[in-house]
Amino acid sequence: MRRDARVSPTLANASPDEAAAGWTARLDKGPLSAGEQQALQHWLEQDIRHKGAFLRAKAIWHASGRLAALQGPTAPAVAHPATLPALPRRRFFAAAAAAVALLAVPKRQGKANSLYTTANALSAPLSTAFGTITLDCYSKLKMGLESSRLVSGRCCVLGRTGMIMKAGELIFAPQGRLLLSCTPSQVVATAVSGTVRLRLHHTNDWWTLRAGAQITQNGTQAPEMRSLMPEELDAQNAWSLGQLEVHDESMASIASTFNRYNQRQVHVSPALASHRLTGVFTLTRPEEFAATARTILGAKLAETPQTLSLY
Amino acid sequence: MLDNTEACSIWLATHILPHEGHIRAWLRRYGDIEADDIIHEAYVVMAQADHAAVANPRAYFASVCRNLVMQHYRRARVVPVTSLALMQADSVADATPSVERVVHARQEMRFLEKTIARLPARCRDIFILRRARGLSQKECAAQLNISENVVEKQLARALVFLSNAYSDSDREMTVDEERRPRLAHSRKRQP
């Protein structure tokens, strides 16, 4: 097929698909100039396959527009660094940690900095003067007078002006719902709603994460930002709502997640382990999951107060 | 033909594009033809069709491609005997879709999401701002503090990426019995 540098305003030596994509993106930008119109017409008439590639590119463009159906009319997800005024210092930080009522009482240690740890259950929301923090299972949180630090595991922060969260080398000022996860080598932060300002320790460049945006920092590398698709966001946020959302996941993997959150352990026989399910479950009700597996997969169930065995 | 692209593109996007991976898999069995050429020509033929009269778009797509392959062989001076035999025996492509090979709208949505997730970071951000969040190219450029030309180029790049993904979408676009999501109807949402 003949290749022509003039086929597209954007791509030289392009294949028909590349040129068609270039023209589709160019048409999306605004009306063509007379010269461009002529170039497009010339390219289309050169070869019937150019017409086909162009029709196909436009069809793909339309298909991708379906993504908007899932997306509310929210603000853009990504904003780049902007220097913002320093946050006001709050001198009086209510010692709210002492007053929290917990579903699964996290172990609290120390005084000036309260350390909360969770085992196989979510914590109830821990109140601070500027919002609440819910800890995932097997997580550790240090709550200080002016800020809190996620030491390991995951937490969900519902913050308002004044809330300061730290994890790894990052410092967050969330005004809305923020999901944080922290391992020794990686910190991941996801803005679920509202906006989250953040900066690296020892720097004064503030970034803004808007709803749907996620930032990942590996070790000492520069943080990477990306936008999440709405379904990805729902799936990542599910645990903080007490839900387990699985898409085409194996029984073994689902059972192991339930077992992290519950005393009552689910055992899946090897024959069932690789079967896959999709659905939304309540994290604290492994019985619901066992009943579903019975109905859908025809599995048999043996129950004791401590275990649910599917085979 | 190209003046009426809006309605036509929507029809192609909705009824033809999701089946492309499957049709290409069928075309790949004929080693001596260029699947891209057949598919491109097929889009031109299908764009001119009376869309309302097409009851089974997948079968229609398959039969258009089959005719183009036949034309290709008629024009060719040397046609491998194996290809002709394959052509005569082959009825797979235009069979009515079986229950196992139906493309679900939801499946296609997941395919799109997965594909977009694989785009390079900047390209993905721009594509999501433009296509999922509806910002104009100018607004995307202002939002990301980059030039409009960069936005245009990255959108074209994303389209090429999607185009390649649709070409190879046979496996992802079809749901067989064992992998079909079973509990989608029982999803509970927090109010």
Side-chain angles (χ1 to χ4, degrees), chain A residues 21-54:
Chain A
W23 280 115
T24 306
R26 172 62 193 86
L27 282 164
D28 177 59
K29 188 176 172 184
L32 301 181
S33 68
E36 286 174 318
Q37 185 67 50
Q38 206 178 1
L40 172 60
Q41 208 56 44
H42 173 72
W43 179 71
L44 287 172
E45 283 162 10
Q46 237 176 17
D47 193 314
I48 190 171
R49 290 167 292 192
H50 291 181
K51 274 185 191 152
F54 185 63

Side-chain angles (χ1 to χ4, degrees), chain A residues 250-252 268-276 293 297-300 310-311:
Chain A
S250 73
M251 290 283 286
V268 178
S269 74
L272 283 177
S274 60
H275 281 70
R276 290 175 174 275
L297 302 175
K300 290 180 181 153
L310 289 162
Y311 59 98

Side-chain angles (χ1 to χ4, degrees), chain B:
Chain B
M1 169 198 71
L2 294 171
D3 295 334
N4 185 28
T5 46
E6 186 72 14
C8 173
S9 294
I10 294 171
W11 188 81
L12 291 172
T14 313
H15 298 289
I16 297 300
L17 193 59
H19 302 298
E20 195 184 298
H22 178 59
I23 302 290
R24 276 180 187 268
W26 171 74
L27 283 171
R28 276 196 285 272
R29 301 167 63 191
Y30 300 91
D32 48 338
I33 57 162
E34 191 64 58
D36 271 352
D37 291 350
I38 299 289
I39 294 285
H40 286 153
E41 282 196 53
Y43 271 84
V44 178
V45 174
M46 292 184 294
Q48 291 162 329
D50 174 8
H51 300 146
V54 178
N56 184 341
R58 183 169 171 275
Y60 171 64
F61 188 8
S63 70
V64 168
C65 287
R66 172 193 284 267
N67 288 342
L68 290 169
V69 171
M70 288 299 276
Q71 272 179 24
H72 168 86
Y73 285 141
R74 272 189 220 114
R75 286 197 297 258
R77 288 186 180 171
V78 180
V79 178
V81 176
T82 47
S83 293
L84 279 184
L86 194 57
M87 196 74 204
Q88 276 163 5
D90 209 340
S91 59
V92 176
D94 53 355
T96 309
S98 68
V99 183
E100 294 78 17
R101 300 191 71 84
V102 173
V103 176
H104 292 259
R106 185 178 169 76
Q107 192 75 9
E108 194 191 352
M109 194 67 93
R110 286 198 66 199
F111 160 79
L112 272 174
E113 287 181 33
K114 274 202 232 164
T115 307
I116 286 162
R118 296 205 315 266
L119 284 170
R122 171 186 267 200
C123 187
R124 182 180 54 230
D125 282 343
I126 292 171
F127 198 74
I128 289 176
L129 286 178
R130 174 69 194 94
R131 296 306 284 147
R133 296 180 194 243
L135 270 68
S136 68
Q137 287 196 22
K138 197 172 182 177
E139 288 167 330
C140 294
Q143 175 72 44
L144 300 174
N145 202 18
I146 52 180
S147 77
E148 280 186 65
N149 274 347
V150 171
V151 172
E152 183 193 329
K153 284 196 175 99
Q154 292 294 330
L155 287 174
R157 190 179 174 194
L159 262 182
V160 172
F161 194 88
L162 272 175
S163 160
N164 292 337
Y166 268 107
S167 299
D168 298 328
S169 62
D170 185 37
R171 198 171 49 80
E172 288 123 297
M173 281 292 200
T174 53
V175 191
D176 57 45
E177 264 319 283
E178 282 188 13
R179 291 172 62 85
R180 177 172 297 187
R182 306 231 179 199
L183 289 177
H185 62 280
S186 70
R187 287 164 66 108
K188 291 175 193 163
R189 292 252 170 215
Q190 196 87 340

Side-chain angles (χ1 to χ4, degrees), chain A residues 31-298:
Chain A
L32 301 181
S33 68
E36 286 174 318
Q37 185 67 50
Q38 206 178 1
L40 172 60
Q41 208 56 44
H42 173 72
W43 179 71
L44 287 172
E45 283 162 10
Q46 237 176 17
D47 193 314
I48 190 171
R49 290 167 292 192
H50 291 181
K51 274 185 191 152
F54 185 63
L55 286 163
R56 181 169 176 269
K58 289 183 79 78
I60 293 172
W61 181 258
H62 271 284
S64 72
R66 285 174 213 160
L67 295 169
L70 288 174
Q71 192 84 39
T74 48
V78 186
H80 280 267
T83 308
L84 296 169
L87 288 173
R89 280 174 69 87
R90 304 280 168 161
R91 293 200 177 169
F92 302 102
F93 193 104
V100 295
L102 303 178
L103 287 175
V105 183
K107 238 160 108 186
R108 188 182 148 200
Q109 303 155 356
K111 285 179 184 174
N113 275 327
S114 303
L115 184 67
Y116 292 92
T117 59
T118 49
N120 58 349
L122 290 180
S123 78
L126 299 159
S127 300
T128 75
F130 305 115
T132 59
I133 303 171
T134 307
L135 271 184
D136 193 14
C137 63
Y138 301 103
S139 300
K140 205 179 271 187
L141 177 82
K142 203 185 272 183
M143 198 186 272
L145 287 175
E146 294 191 335
S147 65
S148 301
R149 171 174 282 281
L150 179 66
V151 180
S152 64
R154 291 196 296 193
C155 71
C156 174
V157 183
L158 195 55
R160 49 183 179 270
T161 311
M163 169 71 92
I164 298 288
M165 275 300 297
K166 296 175 180 172
E169 290 291 300
L170 292 168
I171 299 171
F172 302 88
Q175 290 190 33
R177 196 179 181 89
L178 165 72
L179 292 179
L180 264 183
S181 95
C182 178
T183 66
S185 59
Q186 190 184 57
V187 175
V188 181
T190 311
V192 178
S193 63
T195 58
V196 178
R197 290 187 293 154
L198 66 125
R199 68 178 171 90
L200 274 168
H201 198 45
H202 298 312
T203 69
N204 206 26
D205 275 346
W206 285 89
W207 293 59
T208 304
L209 281 186
R210 298 192 194 280
Q214 181 175 74
I215 194 162
T216 305
Q217 196 199 12
N218 288 304
T220 53
Q221 293 169 14
E224 280 178 17
M225 219 188 263
R226 61 174 287 226
S227 303
L228 294 185
M229 298 309 303
E231 289 216 335
E232 258 183 299
L233 189 63
D234 280 354
Q236 295 200 7
N237 188 33
W239 72 264
S240 71
L241 303 171
Q243 293 178 339
L244 172 61
E245 193 169 326
V246 293
H247 292 285
D248 196 25
E249 234 177 82
S250 73
M251 290 283 286
S253 150
I254 302 171
S256 92
T257 308
F258 270 111
N259 292 344
R260 293 184 71 218
Y261 286 92
N262 295 285
Q263 292 281 348
R264 199 174 191 193
Q265 299 284 293
V266 181
H267 299 298
V268 178
S269 74
L272 283 177
S274 60
H275 281 70
R276 290 175 174 275
L277 282 183
T278 292
V280 180
F281 303 98
T282 306
L283 260 182
T284 51
R285 298 190 57 194
E287 303 81 12
E288 201 177 76
F289 162 66
T292 304
R294 268 175 75 180
T295 317
I296 302 293
L297 302 175

